Amino acid sequence: MEKSAQLSGDSLRTECKLAGLENALEAAHIGYWQWDLADEFDWNSRTCEMFGVESPPKNLVDFLVLINEDSQETILNAAEQSRWHHKAFDVTVETEKHLGRSTRSLKLIGQINQLAGESGRKFLSGVCLASESMADALHTRSKLKESWEEFFKMTSDLCVEINYRYVFLHANDAFLRTLGYNSRELEGRELFDFIHPEDIANARQKLAGMQNKVEGGRTAINSSMLHESRVRGKDGHYRWLSWSWMVDPTDDRIYAMARDVTIAKHLHEQQEAMMQRLSQSNADLENFASVASHDLREPLRMITSYLRLLQERSPEALDEAGRRYVDYACQGADRMRRLIEDLLAYSRMERLEEAHKPIRVQECVQRALEHLKSRIEETGADIQMDNCPHAEVIGARTHLIRLFQNLLSNAMKFQAPGNKPEIRISFRERRNNSGLQGWTISIQDNGIGISKEHEDVLFQLFRRLNARDEYEGSGIGLAACKRVVDLHEGDIWFDSTRGLGSTFHVWLKNSEDSDK
């Protein structure tokens, strides 16, 4: 509840700041525009007035109608550069004659943004300036400065104003409060006096590049892409700030807004360190499994071999109970050997050097059935499979064959005594919860079924739902299936009723969505 309330408070403060900024832009006769690249537009009344319309266009086509043909190509190219290469959006367009109004030259300045939590949705936003005359340009610049000063006071962002020598001229309360300084302590000081030595070169390069771009005549006011640097507070500790700059060459002024991202950076660093430790731990575990399995298999082979020799060459040394004990020991050694081999295969799964490529999934299932031929003949299983040769997924053939082999083997294994396995394999094209297109492969059996209470543990390593003397196995098979599916960014689940059989479903991405 507290977190929800905090989010609501943050949203309210954000809305207030945006409303204040829009009011300031309106007062300065500056248009504000936003273009959701999904084809939606949001303009303030000033932008609509500049384009000679009463409301924002409903879609891209309606927008392009408002500008001449040369400007249409210019604005589309600039949008592509911003969207895919994160370049600043800075274009001048000529409007078409509309409802008797004459043409006018308008300047659109903005940058790409991306919304969190909405599947990476991107949009362009910025300001619209009329560039009809020098007097208008000077008036606009003056109004923009007034808007900046008003925004400077009301925003919770960290804002500073510096000259072309990077000397502080003004810092707002949020900047002073965050870093612990008062305004007198910044007077006459360069911004770079406070930036971490390792970050100075990058910051200088960013600012110099912007100044050169502005002085080259491309634009009078320009916003840069975001960049981060560490800034020293009064207590001597550095805080990470994410900067956005704006240059006005008329007054040799540079304006900056920053967000304190120190906590986010520290969390990211901790996450990176944890990922490195996990990666090293996984590598150590894989190495341990490989070495341990090799070292354990040899003594097991020796134990089994000598016990069998004892049975064959000295039968008179063993009575009936002794022969039974030898059989138990050999069976136990064989189970341990299979367990070690399954564990080794599981640990090596991610290291399989096989490229993921388009594969006809029915061929993988058919190959798995061929591997299980003797088991099928032994149980007399009746297996029916839909003919679906066009079902194609992206994957590693070896992994997928192992996946279906495990599922089909289980379908034949977990049967009531004397029951003849009946298995149906079907294919269905469908989208997953993320909207990706793929194929669901379903394997239905008439076995003993699975209780719903075991759903959470079924795919865990070494978890067995039945006694070993009832159904043999290492408890690794379904865990291996889950790992294969995870490596393919797919999904696996089941439907079952105890005593009435089970259906295991596997969803895998198809080739059309492989690069999404």
Side-chain angles (χ1 to χ4, degrees):
M1 181 67 72
E2 291 180 1
K3 184 174 181 182
S4 176
Q6 181 182 355
L7 290 174
S8 299
D10 290 344
S11 300
L12 181 60
R13 284 191 291 272
T14 300
E15 290 179 6
C16 290
K17 287 194 293 183
L18 291 176
L21 177 58
E22 291 183 6
N23 290 337
L25 292 174
E26 283 279 359
H29 300 280
I30 298 172
Y32 168 80
W33 59 272
Q34 180 173 294
W35 174 12
D36 184 327
L37 296 178
D39 210 16
E40 296 179 2
F41 290 82
D42 182 17
W43 292 356
N44 69 352
S45 59
R46 193 67 61 191
T47 302
C48 292
E49 179 183 325
M50 290 178 178
F51 276 92
V53 294
E54 294 182 355
S55 60
K58 296 180 179 179
N59 51 50
L60 178 59
V61 174
D62 289 347
F63 171 55
L64 294 178
V65 169
L66 303 178
I67 55 179
N68 65 25
E69 189 172 343
D70 292 338
S71 296
Q72 292 174 8
E73 185 175 356
T74 299
I75 205 163
L76 291 175
N77 289 338
E80 287 298 304
Q81 290 295 314
S82 295
R83 180 175 188 176
W84 301 114
H85 303 290
H86 293 277
K87 293 187 176 180
F89 187 85
D90 182 2
V91 296
T92 300
V93 300
E94 297 291 333
T95 64
E96 282 282 10
K97 290 184 177 180
H98 182 65
L99 298 177
R101 295 181 175 88
S102 59
T103 62
R104 59 192 316 189
S105 179
L106 301 177
K107 190 172 193 60
L108 299 174
I109 302 170
Q111 64 181 19
I112 198 74
N113 294 282
Q114 187 162 337
L115 292 179
E118 295 194 27
S119 303
R121 182 178 165 202
K122 294 182 177 180
F123 61 92
L124 279 165
S125 60
V127 296
C128 177
L129 307 173
S131 53
E132 295 148 332
S133 66
M134 182 60 70
D136 287 339
L138 291 174
H139 175 75
T140 297
R141 195 169 292 116
S142 174
K143 289 296 185 180
L144 181 61
K145 186 172 182 179
E146 292 176 11
S147 301
W148 164 259
E149 290 174 352
E150 184 175 344
F151 178 73
F152 202 85
K153 297 174 183 177
M154 63 182 294
T155 182
S156 61
D157 288 336
L158 284 61
C159 298
V160 297
E161 180 182 343
I162 60 178
N163 61 21
Y164 266 30
R165 299 188 306 278
Y166 312 128
V167 174
F168 278 103
L169 300 176
H170 188 45
N172 72 347
D173 290 341
F175 186 91
L176 298 173
R177 184 172 57 253
T178 300
L179 296 172
Y181 298 106
N182 59 56
S183 57
R184 291 189 302 276
E185 291 171 317
L186 300 181
E187 289 179 3
R189 303 285 298 277
E190 282 192 14
L191 172 66
F192 298 115
D193 291 343
F194 300 89
I195 291 182
H196 194 285
E198 295 177 3
D199 300 335
I200 289 177
N202 181 50
R204 282 189 181 275
Q205 182 182 9
K206 289 283 185 181
L207 285 170
M210 284 185 54
Q211 289 174 265
N212 292 337
K213 179 180 177 182
V214 171
E215 291 168 355
R218 289 189 58 183
T219 182
I221 300 169
N222 184 65
S223 295
S224 77
M225 293 175 61
L226 295 176
H227 79 280
E228 296 174 347
S229 63
R230 287 162 287 183
V231 180
R232 188 180 68 253
K234 189 174 181 178
D235 59 4
H237 294 97
Y238 285 92
R239 304 196 68 81
W240 278 99
L241 301 185
S242 178
W243 296 93
S244 180
W245 304 91
M246 186 166 64
V247 176
D248 185 354
T250 308
D251 297 322
D252 292 345
R253 293 290 186 269
I254 301 174
Y255 305 98
M257 287 190 300
R259 295 281 178 92
D260 186 352
V261 295
T262 305
I263 295 176
K265 291 289 289 187
H266 288 169
L267 290 175
H268 179 71
E269 291 170 359
Q270 291 174 6
Q271 185 180 36
E272 287 288 320
M274 183 179 295
M275 291 301 295
Q276 290 180 2
R277 289 196 298 270
L278 286 174
S279 179
Q280 183 60 48
S281 177
N282 285 337
D284 291 343
L285 285 173
E286 288 179 10
N287 186 53
F288 169 78
S290 179
V291 173
S293 63
H294 180 272
D295 291 345
L296 288 172
R297 278 184 294 181
E298 187 58 33
L300 282 174
R301 276 196 295 267
M302 184 179 296
I303 292 170
T304 306
S305 297
Y306 278 108
L307 287 172
R308 294 301 184 194
L309 281 174
L310 180 62
Q311 279 184 322
E312 294 172 3
R313 297 185 181 183
S314 304
E316 70 283 353
L318 298 171
D319 58 13
E320 183 178 349
R323 288 191 293 273
R324 188 166 62 250
Y325 297 154
V326 169
D327 284 338
Y328 290 158
C330 290
Q331 290 172 13
D334 287 340
R335 281 199 304 269
M336 182 171 286
R337 177 182 53 79
R338 289 193 296 270
L339 176 61
I340 291 170
E341 289 173 351
D342 288 345
L343 182 59
L344 179 61
Y346 181 84
S347 68
R348 289 177 171 174
M349 198 168 291
E350 289 190 15
R351 292 190 293 172
L352 177 66
E353 295 181 359
E354 183 179 346
H356 286 211
K357 58 185 179 181
I359 296 173
R360 290 184 177 179
V361 68
Q362 185 173 339
E363 293 179 3
C364 293
V365 177
Q366 190 63 50
R367 182 61 59 88
L369 290 171
E370 292 173 5
H371 291 174
L372 295 168
K373 183 177 180 181
S374 60
R375 180 67 173 164
I376 294 172
E377 293 174 352
E378 178 186 337
T379 60
D382 178 14
I383 300 177
Q384 299 180 13
M385 180 168 62
D386 292 349
N387 185 29
C388 193
H390 61 282
E392 195 172 77
V393 300
I394 293 295
R397 185 179 300 275
T398 304
H399 274 165
L400 295 182
I401 292 174
R402 180 181 178 85
L403 165 66
F404 296 122
Q405 185 174 332
N406 282 348
L407 293 176
L408 290 165
S409 177
N410 281 351
M412 288 184 282
K413 180 198 303 184
F414 293 102
Q415 294 282 338
N419 199 41
K420 177 183 176 181
E422 296 178 0
I423 301 171
R424 164 106 189 275
I425 306 166
S426 59
F427 308 87
R428 182 166 64 94
E429 193 171 17
R430 60 178 288 272
R431 293 186 181 275
N432 68 354
N433 293 334
S434 299
L436 293 178
Q437 189 68 37
W439 285 90
T440 297
I441 303 92
S442 300
I443 299 177
Q444 181 181 4
D445 64 51
N446 63 333
I448 61 174
I450 305 166
S451 297
K452 194 68 175 176
E453 64 193 55
H454 295 139
E455 183 174 359
D456 294 337
V457 301
L458 189 63
F459 296 103
Q460 294 180 14
L461 198 61
F462 302 128
R463 296 305 296 263
R464 296 178 52 86
L465 305 184
N466 305 98
R468 183 173 283 106
D469 57 356
E470 292 181 303
Y471 300 96
E472 65 176 17
S474 60
I476 295 178
L478 285 178
C481 291
K482 181 69 165 61
R483 194 164 190 180
V484 169
V485 171
D486 288 343
L487 290 173
H488 286 74
E489 300 177 5
D491 195 13
I492 183 170
W493 69 101
F494 72 94
D495 301 314
S496 182
T497 302
R498 189 70 177 174
L500 298 179
S502 305
T503 303
F504 279 81
H505 308 278
V506 174
W507 182 89
L508 298 169
K509 184 167 56 175
N510 69 10
S511 56
E512 294 180 2
D513 282 330
S514 62
D515 57 349
K516 293 184 181 179

